[in-house]
Coordinates of all heavy atoms in Angstrom, one line a residue:
M1 N -11.7 14.5 -26.4 CA -10.5 14.3 -25.5 C -9.4 15.3 -25.9 O -9.1 15.6 -27.0 CB -10.0 12.9 -25.7 CG -8.9 12.6 -24.7 SD -8.6 10.8 -24.8 CE -7.1 10.8 -23.9
I2 N -8.8 15.9 -24.8 CA -7.8 16.8 -25.0 C -6.5 16.1 -25.5 O -6.2 15.0 -25.0 CB -7.5 17.5 -23.7 CG1 -8.7 18.3 -23.2 CG2 -6.3 18.5 -23.8 CD1 -8.6 18.9 -21.9
K3 N -5.8 16.6 -26.4 CA -4.6 16.0 -26.9 C -3.4 16.5 -26.1 O -3.3 17.7 -25.9 CB -4.4 16.4 -28.4 CG -5.5 15.8 -29.3 CD -5.3 14.4 -29.5 CE -6.3 13.9 -30.5 NZ -6.2 12.5 -30.8
Y4 N -2.5 15.6 -25.8 CA -1.3 16.0 -25.1 C -0.1 15.5 -25.8 O -0.2 14.4 -26.5 CB -1.2 15.4 -23.7 CG -2.2 16.0 -22.7 CD1 -3.5 15.5 -22.6 CD2 -1.9 17.2 -22.0 CE1 -4.4 16.1 -21.8 CE2 -2.8 17.8 -21.1 CZ -4.1 17.2 -21.0 OH -5.0 17.8 -20.2
P5 N 1.1 16.1 -25.8 CA 2.3 15.6 -26.5 C 2.7 14.3 -25.9 O 2.4 13.9 -24.8 CB 3.3 16.7 -26.1 CG 2.6 17.9 -25.7 CD 1.3 17.4 -25.1
P6 N 3.3 13.4 -26.7 CA 3.7 12.1 -26.3 C 4.7 12.2 -25.1 O 5.4 13.2 -24.9 CB 4.5 11.5 -27.5 CG 4.0 12.3 -28.7 CD 3.6 13.6 -28.1
N7 N 4.7 11.2 -24.2 CA 5.6 11.1 -23.1 C 5.4 12.3 -22.1 O 6.3 12.7 -21.4 CB 7.0 11.0 -23.5 CG 7.3 9.8 -24.4 OD1 6.9 8.7 -24.0 ND2 7.9 10.0 -25.5
T8 N 4.1 12.7 -21.9 CA 3.9 13.7 -20.9 C 2.9 13.2 -19.8 O 2.9 13.7 -18.7 CB 3.3 15.0 -21.5 OG1 2.1 14.7 -22.2 CG2 4.3 15.7 -22.4
L9 N 2.0 12.3 -20.2 CA 1.0 11.8 -19.2 C 1.5 10.5 -18.5 O 2.3 9.8 -19.0 CB -0.3 11.4 -20.0 CG -1.0 12.6 -20.6 CD1 -2.3 12.0 -21.3 CD2 -1.4 13.6 -19.6
I10 N 1.0 10.3 -17.3 CA 1.3 9.1 -16.5 C 0.0 8.4 -16.2 O -0.9 9.0 -15.7 CB 2.0 9.6 -15.2 CG1 3.4 10.2 -15.5 CG2 2.2 8.4 -14.3 CD1 4.1 10.8 -14.3
S11 N 0.0 7.1 -16.5 CA -1.2 6.3 -16.2 C -1.1 5.8 -14.8 O 0.0 5.2 -14.4 CB -1.2 5.2 -17.2 OG -2.2 4.2 -16.8
I12 N -2.2 5.9 -14.0 CA -2.2 5.3 -12.6 C -3.4 4.5 -12.5 O -4.5 4.9 -12.8 CB -2.2 6.5 -11.6 CG1 -1.0 7.4 -11.7 CG2 -2.3 5.9 -10.2 CD1 -1.1 8.6 -10.9
H13 N -3.2 3.2 -12.0 CA -4.4 2.4 -11.8 C -4.0 1.3 -10.7 O -2.9 1.3 -10.2 CB -4.9 1.7 -13.1 CG -3.9 0.7 -13.7 ND1 -2.8 1.1 -14.4 CD2 -3.9 -0.6 -13.7 CE1 -2.2 0.0 -14.8 NE2 -2.8 -1.1 -14.4
N14 N -5.0 0.5 -10.3 CA -4.7 -0.5 -9.3 C -4.8 -1.9 -9.8 O -5.3 -2.1 -10.9 CB -5.7 -0.3 -8.1 CG -7.1 -0.8 -8.4 OD1 -7.5 -0.9 -9.6 ND2 -7.8 -1.1 -7.4
H15 N -4.2 -2.8 -9.1 CA -4.3 -4.2 -9.4 C -4.7 -4.9 -8.1 O -4.0 -5.1 -7.2 CB -2.9 -4.8 -9.8 CG -2.6 -4.6 -11.2 ND1 -1.5 -5.2 -11.8 CD2 -3.2 -3.9 -12.2 CE1 -1.5 -4.9 -13.1 NE2 -2.5 -4.1 -13.4
P16 N -6.0 -5.3 -8.0 CA -6.6 -5.8 -6.8 C -5.9 -7.1 -6.3 O -5.8 -7.4 -5.1 CB -8.0 -6.1 -7.1 CG -8.3 -5.3 -8.3 CD -7.0 -5.1 -9.0
E17 N -5.3 -7.9 -7.3 CA -4.6 -9.1 -6.9 C -3.1 -8.9 -6.6 O -2.4 -9.8 -6.4 CB -4.8 -10.2 -8.0 CG -6.2 -10.6 -8.1 CD -6.4 -11.6 -9.2 OE1 -5.4 -12.1 -9.8 OE2 -7.6 -12.0 -9.5
S18 N -2.7 -7.6 -6.6 CA -1.3 -7.2 -6.2 C -0.3 -7.8 -7.1 O 0.8 -8.2 -6.7 CB -1.1 -7.6 -4.7 OG -2.0 -6.9 -3.9
K19 N -0.6 -7.9 -8.4 CA 0.4 -8.4 -9.4 C 1.1 -7.2 -10.1 O 0.6 -6.1 -10.1 CB -0.3 -9.2 -10.4 CG -1.0 -10.5 -9.8 CD -1.5 -11.4 -10.9 CE -2.1 -12.6 -10.2 NZ -1.7 -13.8 -10.6
P20 N 2.4 -7.5 -10.6 CA 3.1 -6.5 -11.3 C 2.4 -6.1 -12.6 O 1.5 -6.8 -13.0 CB 4.5 -7.1 -11.5 CG 4.3 -8.6 -11.4 CD 3.1 -8.8 -10.5
P21 N 3.0 -5.2 -13.3 CA 2.4 -4.8 -14.6 C 2.3 -6.0 -15.6 O 3.2 -6.8 -15.7 CB 3.4 -3.8 -15.2 CG 4.1 -3.2 -14.0 CD 4.2 -4.4 -13.0
S22 N 1.2 -6.0 -16.3 CA 0.9 -7.1 -17.2 C 1.3 -6.7 -18.6 O 1.7 -5.5 -18.8 CB -0.6 -7.4 -17.2 OG -1.3 -6.3 -17.8
G23 N 1.3 -7.6 -19.5 CA 1.6 -7.3 -20.9 C 0.7 -6.2 -21.4 O 1.1 -5.4 -22.2
S24 N -0.6 -6.3 -21.0 CA -1.5 -5.3 -21.5 C -1.2 -3.9 -20.9 O -1.4 -2.9 -21.6 CB -2.9 -5.6 -21.0 OG -3.4 -6.8 -21.6
D25 N -0.6 -3.8 -19.7 CA -0.2 -2.6 -19.1 C 0.9 -1.9 -20.0 O 0.9 -0.8 -20.3 CB 0.3 -2.7 -17.7 CG -0.9 -3.1 -16.7 OD1 -2.0 -2.6 -16.9 OD2 -0.6 -3.9 -15.8
F26 N 1.9 -2.8 -20.3 CA 3.0 -2.3 -21.1 C 2.6 -1.9 -22.5 O 3.0 -0.9 -23.0 CB 4.1 -3.3 -21.2 CG 4.9 -3.5 -19.9 CD1 4.8 -4.7 -19.3 CD2 5.6 -2.5 -19.3 CE1 5.5 -4.9 -18.1 CE2 6.3 -2.7 -18.2 CZ 6.2 -3.9 -17.5
Y27 N 1.7 -2.7 -23.1 CA 1.2 -2.4 -24.4 C 0.5 -1.0 -24.4 O 0.7 -0.2 -25.3 CB 0.2 -3.5 -24.8 CG -0.4 -3.3 -26.2 CD1 0.3 -3.5 -27.4 CD2 -1.7 -2.8 -26.3 CE1 -0.2 -3.3 -28.6 CE2 -2.2 -2.5 -27.6 CZ -1.5 -2.8 -28.7 OH -2.0 -2.5 -29.9
S28 N -0.4 -0.8 -23.4 CA -1.2 0.4 -23.3 C -0.2 1.6 -23.1 O -0.4 2.7 -23.7 CB -2.1 0.4 -22.1 OG -3.1 -0.6 -22.4
C29 N 0.8 1.4 -22.3 CA 1.7 2.5 -22.0 C 2.5 2.9 -23.3 O 2.7 4.1 -23.6 CB 2.7 2.0 -20.9 SG 3.9 3.3 -20.4
G30 N 2.9 1.9 -24.1 CA 3.6 2.1 -25.3 C 2.7 2.7 -26.4 O 3.1 3.7 -27.1
I31 N 1.6 2.1 -26.6 CA 0.7 2.5 -27.7 C 0.1 3.9 -27.5 O -0.1 4.7 -28.4 CB -0.4 1.5 -28.0 CG1 -1.0 1.6 -29.4 CG2 -1.5 1.5 -27.0 CD1 -0.2 1.1 -30.5
R32 N -0.1 4.2 -26.2 CA -0.7 5.6 -25.9 C 0.4 6.6 -25.6 O 0.1 7.7 -25.3 CB -1.6 5.4 -24.7 CG -2.8 4.6 -25.0 CD -3.8 4.4 -23.9 NE -4.9 3.7 -24.3 CZ -5.6 2.9 -23.5 NH1 -5.3 2.8 -22.2 NH2 -6.6 2.2 -23.9
K33 N 1.6 6.1 -25.7 CA 2.8 7.0 -25.5 C 2.8 7.7 -24.2 O 3.1 8.9 -24.1 CB 2.9 8.0 -26.7 CG 3.1 7.3 -28.0 CD 3.3 8.3 -29.1 CE 3.7 7.7 -30.3 NZ 3.4 7.0 -31.3
Y34 N 2.5 7.0 -23.1 CA 2.6 7.5 -21.7 C 4.0 7.7 -21.3 O 4.9 6.9 -21.8 CB 1.9 6.6 -20.7 CG 0.4 6.6 -20.9 CD1 -0.3 5.4 -20.6 CD2 -0.4 7.7 -21.2 CE1 -1.7 5.3 -20.7 CE2 -1.8 7.6 -21.3 CZ -2.4 6.4 -21.1 OH -3.8 6.3 -21.2
K35 N 4.3 8.6 -20.5 CA 5.7 8.8 -20.0 C 6.0 7.6 -19.1 O 7.1 7.0 -19.2 CB 5.8 10.1 -19.2 CG 7.2 10.3 -18.7 CD 7.2 11.7 -18.0 CE 8.7 12.0 -17.5 NZ 8.8 13.3 -17.0
K36 N 5.1 7.1 -18.3 CA 5.3 5.9 -17.5 C 3.9 5.5 -16.9 O 2.9 6.2 -17.1 CB 6.3 6.2 -16.4 CG 5.9 7.3 -15.4 CD 6.9 7.5 -14.3 CE 8.1 8.1 -14.8 NZ 9.1 8.5 -13.8
G37 N 3.9 4.4 -16.3 CA 2.7 3.9 -15.6 C 3.0 3.7 -14.1 O 4.1 3.3 -13.8
I38 N 1.9 3.8 -13.3 CA 2.1 3.5 -11.9 C 0.9 2.5 -11.6 O -0.2 2.8 -11.9 CB 2.0 4.7 -11.1 CG1 3.1 5.7 -11.4 CG2 2.0 4.4 -9.6 CD1 3.0 7.0 -10.7
I39 N 1.2 1.4 -10.9 CA 0.2 0.5 -10.4 C 0.3 0.5 -8.9 O 1.4 0.2 -8.3 CB 0.5 -0.9 -11.0 CG1 0.3 -0.9 -12.5 CG2 -0.5 -1.9 -10.3 CD1 0.6 -2.2 -13.1
C40 N -0.8 0.7 -8.2 CA -0.9 0.6 -6.8 C -1.6 -0.7 -6.4 O -2.8 -0.9 -6.9 CB -1.7 1.8 -6.2 SG -0.9 3.4 -6.7
C41 N -1.0 -1.5 -5.7 CA -1.6 -2.8 -5.4 C -2.2 -2.8 -4.0 O -1.9 -2.0 -3.1 CB -0.5 -3.9 -5.4 SG 0.3 -4.1 -7.0
H42 N -3.2 -3.7 -3.8 CA -3.9 -3.8 -2.6 C -3.1 -4.2 -1.4 O -3.4 -4.0 -0.2 CB -5.1 -4.7 -2.7 CG -6.2 -4.1 -3.5 ND1 -7.5 -4.3 -3.3 CD2 -6.2 -3.2 -4.6 CE1 -8.3 -3.6 -4.1 NE2 -7.5 -2.9 -5.0
N43 N -1.9 -4.9 -1.7 CA -1.0 -5.3 -0.6 C 0.0 -4.2 -0.2 O 0.8 -4.4 0.6 CB -0.3 -6.6 -0.9 CG 0.7 -6.4 -2.0 OD1 0.8 -5.4 -2.6 ND2 1.4 -7.5 -2.3
G44 N -0.1 -3.1 -0.8 CA 0.8 -1.9 -0.6 C 1.9 -1.8 -1.5 O 2.6 -0.8 -1.5
D45 N 2.2 -2.8 -2.4 CA 3.2 -2.7 -3.4 C 2.8 -1.6 -4.4 O 1.7 -1.4 -4.8 CB 3.4 -4.0 -4.2 CG 4.1 -5.1 -3.3 OD1 4.6 -4.7 -2.2 OD2 4.1 -6.2 -3.8
V46 N 3.8 -0.9 -4.9 CA 3.6 0.1 -6.0 C 4.7 -0.2 -7.0 O 5.9 -0.3 -6.7 CB 3.8 1.6 -5.4 CG1 3.7 2.6 -6.6 CG2 2.8 1.8 -4.3
Y47 N 4.2 -0.3 -8.3 CA 5.1 -0.5 -9.4 C 5.1 0.7 -10.3 O 4.0 1.2 -10.6 CB 4.7 -1.7 -10.2 CG 4.8 -3.0 -9.5 CD1 3.7 -3.6 -8.9 CD2 6.0 -3.7 -9.5 CE1 3.8 -4.8 -8.2 CE2 6.1 -4.9 -8.8 CZ 5.0 -5.5 -8.2 OH 5.1 -6.7 -7.6
V48 N 6.3 1.2 -10.6 CA 6.4 2.3 -11.6 C 7.2 1.8 -12.8 O 8.2 1.2 -12.6 CB 7.2 3.5 -10.9 CG1 7.3 4.6 -12.0 CG2 6.5 4.0 -9.7
Y49 N 6.6 1.9 -13.9 CA 7.2 1.3 -15.1 C 7.1 2.2 -16.3 O 6.3 3.1 -16.4 CB 6.5 -0.1 -15.4 CG 5.0 0.1 -15.7 CD1 4.6 0.1 -17.0 CD2 4.1 0.2 -14.7 CE1 3.2 0.3 -17.3 CE2 2.7 0.3 -15.0 CZ 2.3 0.4 -16.3 OH 1.0 0.6 -16.6
Q50 N 7.9 1.9 -17.3 CA 7.8 2.5 -18.6 C 8.2 1.6 -19.7 O 8.8 0.5 -19.4 CB 8.7 3.8 -18.6 CG 10.1 3.6 -18.5 CD 10.9 4.8 -18.3 OE1 11.0 5.3 -17.1 NE2 11.4 5.4 -19.3
T51 N 7.8 1.8 -20.9 CA 8.2 0.9 -22.0 C 9.6 0.9 -22.3 O 10.3 1.9 -22.1 CB 7.3 1.1 -23.2 OG1 7.5 2.5 -23.6 CG2 5.9 0.9 -22.9
G52 N 10.1 -0.2 -22.8 CA 11.5 -0.3 -23.2 C 11.7 0.1 -24.7 O 10.8 0.6 -25.3
K53 N 12.8 -0.4 -25.3 CA 13.1 0.0 -26.7 C 12.5 -0.9 -27.7 O 12.2 -0.6 -28.8 CB 14.6 0.0 -26.9 CG 15.4 1.0 -26.1 CD 16.9 1.0 -26.3 CE 17.5 2.0 -25.4 NZ 19.0 1.9 -25.5
K54 N 12.2 -2.2 -27.3 CA 11.6 -3.1 -28.2 C 10.1 -3.1 -28.1 O 9.5 -2.9 -27.0 CB 12.1 -4.6 -27.9 CG 13.6 -4.8 -28.1 CD 13.9 -6.2 -27.7 CE 15.4 -6.4 -27.9 NZ 15.8 -7.8 -27.5
P55 N 9.4 -3.3 -29.2 CA 7.9 -3.4 -29.1 C 7.5 -4.6 -28.3 O 8.1 -5.6 -28.4 CB 7.5 -3.5 -30.6 CG 8.7 -4.0 -31.3 CD 9.9 -3.5 -30.6
L56 N 6.5 -4.4 -27.6 CA 6.0 -5.5 -26.7 C 4.8 -6.2 -27.4 O 3.9 -5.6 -27.9 CB 5.4 -4.9 -25.4 CG 4.8 -5.9 -24.5 CD1 5.8 -6.8 -23.9 CD2 4.0 -5.2 -23.4
L57 N 5.0 -7.5 -27.4 CA 3.9 -8.4 -27.8 C 3.5 -9.2 -26.6 O 4.3 -9.7 -25.9 CB 4.3 -9.4 -28.9 CG 4.8 -8.7 -30.2 CD1 5.2 -9.7 -31.2 CD2 3.6 -7.8 -30.8
K58 N 2.2 -9.2 -26.3 CA 1.7 -9.7 -25.0 C 2.2 -11.1 -24.7 O 2.4 -11.5 -23.5 CB 0.2 -9.7 -25.0 CG -0.4 -8.3 -25.0 CD -1.9 -8.3 -25.0 CE -2.4 -7.0 -25.2 NZ -3.9 -7.0 -25.3
H59 N 2.4 -12.0 -25.7 CA 2.7 -13.4 -25.5 C 4.2 -13.7 -25.3 O 4.6 -14.8 -25.2 CB 2.1 -14.2 -26.6 CG 2.8 -14.0 -27.9 ND1 2.4 -12.9 -28.7 CD2 3.7 -14.6 -28.6 CE1 3.1 -12.9 -29.8 NE2 3.9 -13.9 -29.7
E60 N 5.1 -12.6 -25.4 CA 6.5 -12.9 -25.4 C 7.2 -12.9 -24.1 O 8.4 -12.9 -24.0 CB 7.2 -11.8 -26.3 CG 6.8 -12.0 -27.8 CD 7.6 -11.0 -28.6 OE1 7.7 -9.8 -28.2 OE2 8.1 -11.4 -29.7
Y61 N 6.5 -13.1 -23.0 CA 7.1 -13.2 -21.7 C 7.7 -14.5 -21.5 O 7.2 -15.6 -21.9 CB 6.1 -12.8 -20.6 CG 5.9 -11.4 -20.5 CD1 4.8 -10.8 -21.1 CD2 6.8 -10.5 -19.9 CE1 4.5 -9.5 -21.0 CE2 6.6 -9.2 -19.8 CZ 5.4 -8.7 -20.4 OH 5.2 -7.3 -20.3
A62 N 8.8 -14.6 -20.8 CA 9.5 -15.8 -20.5 C 9.4 -16.2 -19.0 O 10.3 -16.8 -18.4 CB 11.0 -15.7 -20.9
E63 N 8.2 -15.9 -18.5 CA 8.0 -16.1 -17.1 C 8.2 -17.5 -16.6 O 8.8 -17.8 -15.6 CB 6.6 -15.6 -16.7 CG 6.5 -14.1 -16.8 CD 5.0 -13.7 -16.5 OE1 4.3 -14.4 -15.7 OE2 4.6 -12.7 -17.0
L64 N 7.7 -18.4 -17.4 CA 7.8 -19.8 -17.0 C 9.2 -20.3 -16.8 O 9.4 -21.1 -15.8 CB 7.1 -20.7 -18.0 CG 5.6 -20.6 -18.1 CD1 5.0 -21.5 -19.2 CD2 5.0 -21.0 -16.7
R65 N 10.1 -19.9 -17.6 CA 11.5 -20.3 -17.4 C 12.1 -19.8 -16.0 O 12.8 -20.6 -15.3 CB 12.4 -19.8 -18.5 CG 12.1 -20.4 -19.8 CD 13.1 -20.0 -20.9 NE 12.6 -20.5 -22.1 CZ 12.7 -19.9 -23.3 NH1 13.3 -18.7 -23.4 NH2 12.3 -20.5 -24.4
Y66 N 11.7 -18.6 -15.6 CA 12.1 -18.1 -14.3 C 11.4 -18.8 -13.2 O 12.0 -19.1 -12.2 CB 11.9 -16.6 -14.2 CG 12.9 -15.8 -15.0 CD1 12.5 -15.2 -16.2 CD2 14.2 -15.7 -14.6 CE1 13.5 -14.4 -16.9 CE2 15.2 -15.0 -15.3 CZ 14.8 -14.4 -16.5 OH 15.7 -13.7 -17.2
M67 N 10.1 -19.1 -13.4 CA 9.4 -19.8 -12.3 C 9.9 -21.2 -12.1 O 10.0 -21.7 -11.0 CB 7.9 -19.9 -12.7 CG 7.3 -18.5 -12.6 SD 5.6 -18.4 -13.2 CE 4.8 -19.4 -11.9
E68 N 10.4 -21.9 -13.2 CA 11.0 -23.2 -13.1 C 12.3 -23.1 -12.3 O 12.7 -24.1 -11.7 CB 11.3 -23.8 -14.5 CG 10.0 -24.2 -15.2 CD 10.3 -24.5 -16.7 OE1 11.5 -24.3 -17.2 OE2 9.4 -25.0 -17.4
K69 N 12.9 -22.0 -12.2 CA 14.2 -21.8 -11.5 C 13.9 -21.4 -10.0 O 14.8 -21.2 -9.2 CB 15.0 -20.7 -12.1 CG 15.6 -21.1 -13.5 CD 16.4 -20.0 -14.1 CE 16.9 -20.4 -15.4 NZ 17.6 -19.4 -16.1
G70 N 12.6 -21.3 -9.7 CA 12.2 -21.1 -8.3 C 11.7 -19.7 -8.0 O 11.4 -19.4 -6.8
Y71 N 11.7 -18.8 -9.0 CA 11.2 -17.5 -8.7 C 9.7 -17.5 -8.6 O 9.0 -18.3 -9.2 CB 11.6 -16.5 -9.9 CG 13.1 -16.2 -9.9 CD1 13.9 -17.0 -10.8 CD2 13.7 -15.2 -9.1 CE1 15.3 -16.7 -10.9 CE2 15.0 -15.0 -9.2 CZ 15.8 -15.7 -10.0 OH 17.2 -15.4 -10.1
S72 N 9.1 -16.5 -7.8 CA 7.7 -16.4 -7.8 C 7.2 -15.8 -9.1 O 8.0 -15.3 -9.9 CB 7.3 -15.4 -6.6 OG 7.7 -14.1 -7.0
Q73 N 5.9 -15.9 -9.3 CA 5.3 -15.4 -10.5 C 5.6 -13.9 -10.7 O 6.0 -13.4 -11.8 CB 3.8 -15.6 -10.6 CG 3.2 -15.2 -11.9 CD 1.7 -15.5 -12.0 OE1 1.1 -15.9 -11.0 NE2 1.1 -15.2 -13.1
N74 N 5.5 -13.1 -9.6 CA 5.8 -11.7 -9.7 C 7.3 -11.4 -10.0 O 7.6 -10.6 -10.9 CB 5.5 -11.0 -8.4 CG 4.0 -10.8 -8.2 OD1 3.2 -11.2 -9.1 ND2 3.6 -10.3 -7.1
E75 N 8.2 -12.2 -9.4 CA 9.6 -12.0 -9.7 C 9.9 -12.4 -11.1 O 10.7 -11.7 -11.8 CB 10.4 -12.8 -8.7 CG 10.4 -12.4 -7.3 CD 11.0 -13.4 -6.3 OE1 10.9 -14.6 -6.6 OE2 11.6 -13.0 -5.3
A76 N 9.3 -13.5 -11.5 CA 9.6 -14.0 -12.9 C 9.1 -13.0 -13.9 O 9.7 -12.7 -14.9 CB 8.9 -15.3 -13.1
H77 N 8.0 -12.4 -13.7 CA 7.4 -11.4 -14.6 C 8.4 -10.2 -14.7 O 8.7 -9.7 -15.8 CB 6.0 -10.9 -14.1 CG 5.4 -9.9 -14.9 ND1 4.7 -10.3 -16.1 CD2 5.3 -8.6 -14.9 CE1 4.2 -9.2 -16.6 NE2 4.5 -8.1 -15.9
I78 N 8.9 -9.7 -13.6 CA 9.8 -8.6 -13.6 C 11.1 -8.9 -14.3 O 11.6 -8.2 -15.2 CB 10.0 -8.0 -12.2 CG1 8.7 -7.4 -11.7 CG2 11.2 -7.0 -12.2 CD1 8.7 -7.1 -10.2
L79 N 11.7 -10.1 -14.0 CA 12.9 -10.5 -14.6 C 12.8 -10.7 -16.1 O 13.7 -10.2 -16.9 CB 13.4 -11.8 -14.0 CG 13.9 -11.7 -12.5 CD1 14.1 -13.0 -11.9 CD2 15.2 -10.9 -12.5
A80 N 11.7 -11.3 -16.6 CA 11.5 -11.5 -18.0 C 11.3 -10.1 -18.7 O 11.9 -9.9 -19.8 CB 10.3 -12.4 -18.2
S81 N 10.6 -9.2 -18.1 CA 10.4 -7.9 -18.7 C 11.8 -7.2 -18.8 O 12.1 -6.6 -19.9 CB 9.5 -7.0 -17.8 OG 8.2 -7.6 -17.8
K82 N 12.6 -7.3 -17.8 CA 13.9 -6.6 -17.9 C 14.8 -7.3 -18.9 O 15.5 -6.6 -19.6 CB 14.6 -6.6 -16.5 CG 14.0 -5.6 -15.5 CD 14.7 -5.7 -14.2 CE 14.2 -4.7 -13.2 NZ 14.9 -4.8 -11.9
K83 N 14.9 -8.6 -18.9 CA 15.8 -9.4 -19.7 C 15.6 -9.0 -21.2 O 16.5 -8.8 -22.0 CB 15.6 -10.9 -19.5 CG 16.5 -11.7 -20.4 CD 16.4 -13.1 -20.2 CE 17.3 -13.9 -21.1 NZ 17.3 -15.3 -20.9
Y84 N 14.3 -8.9 -21.6 CA 14.0 -8.7 -23.0 C 13.8 -7.2 -23.3 O 13.3 -6.9 -24.4 CB 12.8 -9.6 -23.4 CG 13.2 -11.0 -23.4 CD1 12.8 -11.8 -22.3 CD2 14.0 -11.6 -24.4 CE1 13.2 -13.1 -22.3 CE2 14.4 -12.9 -24.3 CZ 14.0 -13.7 -23.3 OH 14.4 -15.0 -23.2
N85 N 14.1 -6.4 -22.4 CA 14.1 -4.9 -22.6 C 12.7 -4.4 -23.0 O 12.5 -3.5 -23.7 CB 15.1 -4.5 -23.6 CG 15.4 -3.0 -23.5 OD1 15.3 -2.4 -22.4 ND2 15.8 -2.4 -24.6
Y86 N 11.6 -5.1 -22.4 CA 10.3 -4.7 -22.7 C 9.9 -3.5 -21.8 O 9.0 -2.7 -22.1 CB 9.3 -5.8 -22.4 CG 9.3 -6.9 -23.4 CD1 9.2 -8.2 -23.0 CD2 9.5 -6.6 -24.8 CE1 9.2 -9.2 -23.9 CE2 9.6 -7.7 -25.7 CZ 9.4 -9.0 -25.3 OH 9.5 -10.0 -26.2
A87 N 10.6 -3.5 -20.7 CA 10.2 -2.4 -19.7 C 11.4 -2.0 -18.9 O 12.3 -2.7 -18.7 CB 9.1 -3.0 -18.8
K88 N 11.3 -0.8 -18.4 CA 12.3 -0.3 -17.5 C 11.5 0.0 -16.2 O 10.6 0.8 -16.2 CB 12.9 1.0 -18.0 CG 13.6 0.9 -19.3 CD 14.1 2.2 -19.8 CE 14.7 2.1 -21.2 NZ 15.1 3.4 -21.7
Y89 N 11.9 -0.7 -15.2 CA 11.3 -0.4 -13.9 C 12.1 0.7 -13.2 O 13.3 0.7 -13.2 CB 11.3 -1.7 -13.0 CG 10.2 -2.7 -13.4 CD1 10.4 -3.6 -14.4 CD2 9.0 -2.6 -12.8 CE1 9.5 -4.5 -14.8 CE2 8.0 -3.5 -13.1 CZ 8.3 -4.4 -14.1 OH 7.3 -5.3 -14.5
C90 N 11.4 1.6 -12.6 CA 12.0 2.6 -11.8 C 12.0 2.1 -10.3 O 11.1 1.5 -9.8 CB 11.2 3.9 -11.8 SG 11.0 4.5 -13.5
E91 N 13.1 2.4 -9.7 CA 13.2 2.0 -8.3 C 12.6 3.0 -7.4 O 12.5 4.2 -7.6 CB 14.7 1.9 -7.9 CG 15.4 0.9 -8.7 CD 14.9 -0.6 -8.6 OE1 14.4 -0.9 -7.5 OE2 14.9 -1.3 -9.6

């Protein structure tokens, strides 16, 4: 495999169920030192993300608290990621 400097590659993949980036997506982005990741969903949504300053552990999402407040699973996932600085979503 060809070696590239950290933060130069962008990961692109799809999510057939049209969900936002998962803990595994953030983990892979961070551990592989990608500049950012892009997810193209089957419903037309596109998520562009990059890792935040804190290390990500897959089980540390607080999605349920947001879902209890009435947010959808996708909205809760994004809010939890931003709140705990696991990810920076690009607009």
